Amino acid sequence: MTVNDDSFTNWMHREEIAESMIPIIGKLHREQDVNVLLHSRSLVNKSVVSILKTHRFARQIAGEELSVTETMPFLRALTTLDLGPSQIDIGMLAATYRADGRGLSVEEFTAEAVAGATGDNKIERRASRDVVLYGFGRIGRLIARLLIEKAGSGNGLRLRAIVVRRGSGQDIVKRASLLRRDSIHGQFQGTITVDEANNKIIANGNEIQMIYSDDPREVDYTAYGIKDAILIDNTGRWRDREGLSNHLRPGIAKVVLTAPGKGDVPNIVHGVNHDTVKPDERILSCASCTTNAIVPPLKAMADEYGVLRGHVETVHSYTNDQNLLDNYHGSDRRGRSAALNMVITETGAASAVAKALPELKAPITGSSIRVPVPDVSIAILSLRLERETTREEVLDYLRNVSLASPLKRQIDFISAPDAVSSDFIGSRHASIVDAGATKVDGDNAILYLWYDNEFGYSCQVIRVVQHVSGVEYPTFPAPAV
C-alpha cells in the first residue's frame, strides 16, 4: 500500500466516525436539549465534511489538529449520562483530558467534567419563549435563520411573528424568497413554504406569522397567540427608551434593539456585560457590530496588560444605508457610490466602549472607512499598554483566551497566512484575531480583528436574547475565569 493509499484509508475511517457522530449529536440536541460543541463551534445539524473541517480547524488555535478518533469516545460517554439542558464542548473535554494526569477513564473524566449538567444539578427544560422580529432586513433575516436553526428540540426560543410594512404585489412571497436565498450567506438550510391566505411563512415546520403594520402602537400580539415575547427591533428607527417603549404592547415583555441605544438604554455586549442586565429591564440594546468586535478583545487586553489609551480604525463593508450609485444622502460622503469608492465616515463604536466597559478609564478614539465589499469588516485596534510585552506573549495569551476563557464565544483566533475577508463570512464569533498581522513593540500593541458584521453580530444578538429570556444554558467544561 502506498503513502497516498494510507492517507485515503485514514480519511475514509475518519469519515465513517464523523458519520456515526451525526445521529448521536442530533439525538442529544432533540431529546435532552444538549448542544454539542467543538472549541465553541456547534456540531448540531452539520455534515460529515463540516464536522471533519471543524476538527481540522482546531490546529489554527490549539496548534495541532484534533481528530474525531479523539473526540468520539467523549461523545459516546455523554450518551450514558442523565444530562440536562447544556452546551458541552467535546474539543475542550479532549484537551483537558489529555492534560489530566490522574489516570481516569474517558467515562469517569467526562462524568466529572459535566457533573453540573447531571443529576440534581441539571436545570429543567424550559418552555419555548416567543420571539417577534420587528423589521426583516439584513440583520432581521439572519436572526430569523438562527432562531429557526436553534428551534431544534422545541425548547428555547421560538420565532412567532415578523412585523413589516406591507409592500406592493406578492409581499410575503418576496420576503420568503429573501429568507430562502442570500447572495452572501447562501441558501437557507431547510425548507420554506408560504401560506398566503393566512400570511404565514413555514420554515422547517415553524409557523411564522407575518404582521403588517406602519405603527408599533397599533399591534396587539395577543391576537396571534403571542405572549411574554421578546421583540427584536432591527429597523434602527427608534433608539431611545421613549421610542422603543412603543413596542411594549400586549404580548411583548421585552424589547431588544440591534443598534446602539441612546440615553439610558443599556448597551449590552454578550460575554462582557450581559450579566449586568437587571431582571426587570424591559428595553436594551445590543450595541453595534463594531462595538461587539472590539470590546471583548479590548477587555481581554485590559485584564492582562492594562490599557492607557487606544484608537480603533474600522475598515467596514458597505451597508444599505449607502447609495449604490451617486445620489442624495443626508450624511456627508455616504451619498457617493458604495460599490466604487472607499468612503470615510464616522463610527460610534469607540464612544460606545464606555457603556459596555465602564471600568476601562482609558480614552478610546475611533474612525471608519467603508469599502466596496458586501460583508466582513476589520477593526485595527491600536493600544498603549501599562506594561511592556512581546508579540509571542500577546499571541499566546489571545490564543488561550479564544480556547478556554469566558470570552471564547466572542473571540476567535486564526494563524492562516493567506486569510482574507471572505474567509470569515458566516463566522459566529464577535471578532477573530489575525495572528499574522498582530504587531507588538514594547508597550504598544496593534490587533487586527476580522468580524462578520452581519452574521457574527446576529449571533451576539441571539446570545443576549437567550440570556434575558432565561434559555442560555451553561457550558461544560466550564471556561477558566
Side-chain angles (χ1 to χ4, degrees):
M1 182 177 285
T2 67
V3 173
N4 287 340
D5 287 337
D6 282 340
S7 298
F8 187 63
T9 300
N10 179 262
W11 169 261
M12 290 178 66
H13 176 58
R14 287 186 290 135
E15 258 191 335
E16 185 180 3
I17 295 174
E19 210 167 62
S20 64
M21 283 180 157
I22 292 173
I24 299 174
I25 293 167
K27 188 174 182 180
L28 284 169
H29 182 56
R30 286 189 305 274
E31 297 184 4
Q32 293 173 270
D33 230 1
V34 173
N35 183 21
V36 177
L37 311 172
L38 188 101
H39 288 316
S40 300
R41 290 164 170 79
S42 176
L43 297 181
V44 176
N45 293 327
K46 295 297 187 289
S47 68
V48 169
V49 171
S50 180
I51 289 173
L52 291 173
K53 286 181 69 175
T54 304
H55 277 74
R56 180 161 173 74
F57 184 81
R59 77 190 192 284
Q60 293 282 354
I61 45 181
E64 58 183 337
E65 185 172 345
L66 186 62
S67 172
V68 287
T69 59
E70 290 181 78
T71 57
M72 185 60 170
F74 295 95
L75 188 58
R76 288 201 186 99
L78 293 178
T79 65
T80 67
L81 301 174
D82 180 26
L83 293 167
S86 55
Q87 300 193 102
I88 299 179
D89 194 320
I90 58 174
M92 287 304 298
L93 280 174
T96 52
Y97 179 71
R98 196 184 301 151
D100 188 80
R102 293 175 295 163
L104 298 176
S105 68
V106 167
E107 292 75 18
E108 291 169 334
F109 182 85
T110 302
E112 180 183 277
V114 304
T118 61
D120 294 337
N121 295 321
K122 69 179 183 181
I123 60 177
E124 295 299 318
R125 298 178 74 181
R126 300 182 178 96
S128 298
R129 184 71 180 267
D130 290 353
V131 177
V132 172
L133 289 178
Y134 198 94
F136 204 44
R138 297 297 303 152
I139 299 300
R141 291 194 295 274
L142 291 177
I143 290 175
R145 285 187 173 202
L146 287 164
L147 288 168
I148 295 162
E149 170 194 301
K150 294 179 182 298
S153 62
N155 292 274
L157 303 174
R158 182 184 175 199
L159 178 57
R160 294 293 309 281
I162 300 165
V163 185
V164 293
R165 295 179 178 181
R166 186 184 290 275
S168 58
Q170 294 180 298
D171 182 276
I172 193 169
V173 173
K174 290 180 178 179
R175 294 186 189 277
S177 182
L178 285 170
L179 179 62
R180 186 181 291 116
R181 304 175 186 88
D182 190 282
S183 301
I184 296 169
H185 300 283
Q187 299 276 345
F188 173 80
Q189 296 300 303
T191 62
I192 293 176
T193 56
V194 176
D195 179 356
E196 286 190 82
N198 295 298
N199 287 330
K200 289 183 178 180
I201 294 174
I202 298 94
N204 290 357
N206 296 270
E207 290 193 5
I208 306 162
Q209 182 71 53
M210 190 68 72
I211 300 173
Y212 293 101
S213 177
D214 294 330
D215 188 340
R217 295 169 295 185
E218 296 177 351
V219 185
D220 179 0
Y221 295 96
T222 60
Y224 301 95
I226 296 168
K227 60 181 180 180
D228 196 33
I230 296 177
L231 182 144
I232 304 174
D233 183 331
N234 56 91
T235 67
R237 184 177 174 188
W238 304 277
R239 297 195 179 190
D240 59 12
R241 188 172 295 276
E242 181 182 1
L244 293 168
S245 294
N246 291 325
H247 290 304
L248 294 173
R249 304 285 300 149
I252 303 299
K254 295 179 184 290
V255 178
V256 174
L257 171 66
T258 64
K262 295 182 178 179
D264 66 342
V265 174
N267 281 254
I268 304 302
V269 174
H270 191 276
V272 175
N273 68 336
H274 66 278
D275 55 356
T276 66
V277 179
K278 297 176 182 177
D280 61 350
E281 179 60 73
R282 302 189 70 189
I283 295 173
L284 56 106
S285 155
C286 290
S288 71
C289 56
T290 302
T291 303
N292 276 265
I294 66 172
V295 167
L298 184 55
K299 174 177 168 51
M301 292 297 287
D303 287 348
E304 179 67 17
Y305 301 102
V307 172
L308 296 175
R309 64 174 179 269
H311 175 81
V312 61
E313 187 80 32
T314 69
V315 182
H316 200 291
S317 58
Y318 59 75
T319 68
N320 272 331
D321 175 64
Q322 296 171 257
N323 290 333
L324 186 62
L325 294 172
D326 289 3
N327 207 347
Y328 173 81
H329 195 292
S331 298
D332 294 343
R333 306 184 201 248
R334 291 200 186 192
R336 302 299 300 277
S337 171
L340 299 175
N341 296 289
M342 293 189 290
V343 179
I344 298 173
T345 186
E346 71 283 344
T347 177
S351 58
V353 168
K355 279 193 168 186
L357 201 58
E359 63 269 28
L360 182 72
K361 304 305 179 184
I364 306 293
T365 58
S367 52
S368 180
I369 303 172
R370 297 286 179 93
V371 294
V373 294
D375 187 31
V376 179
S377 305
I378 190 166
I380 305 166
L381 186 59
S382 180
L383 302 174
R384 176 75 180 276
L385 307 176
E386 289 183 0
R387 67 177 176 89
E388 293 192 353
T389 182
T390 64
R391 181 174 181 271
E392 292 71 23
E393 182 188 344
V394 169
L395 290 178
D396 284 345
Y397 169 65
L398 291 175
R399 181 186 291 108
N400 187 61
V401 166
S402 74
L403 277 172
S405 82
L407 290 170
K408 66 180 183 179
R409 297 173 72 192
Q410 282 70 44
I411 299 175
D412 204 1
F413 187 94
I414 189 165
S415 55
D418 293 323
V420 293
S421 62
S422 61
D423 296 329
F424 305 101
I425 293 173
S427 169
R428 297 184 180 229
H429 288 77
S431 63
I432 305 101
V433 176
D434 191 314
T438 300
K439 292 174 172 57
V440 179
D441 182 11
D443 60 355
N444 289 295
I446 303 176
L447 307 182
Y448 285 73
L449 308 165
W450 298 101
Y451 58 108
D452 184 329
N453 49 277
E454 293 186 334
F455 197 75
Y457 175 67
S458 296
C459 290
Q460 281 287 89
V461 173
I462 290 291
R463 291 171 189 137
V464 170
V465 174
Q466 287 176 320
H467 177 72
V468 300
S469 64
V471 297
E472 185 179 37
Y473 297 142
T475 300
F476 300 95
V481 177

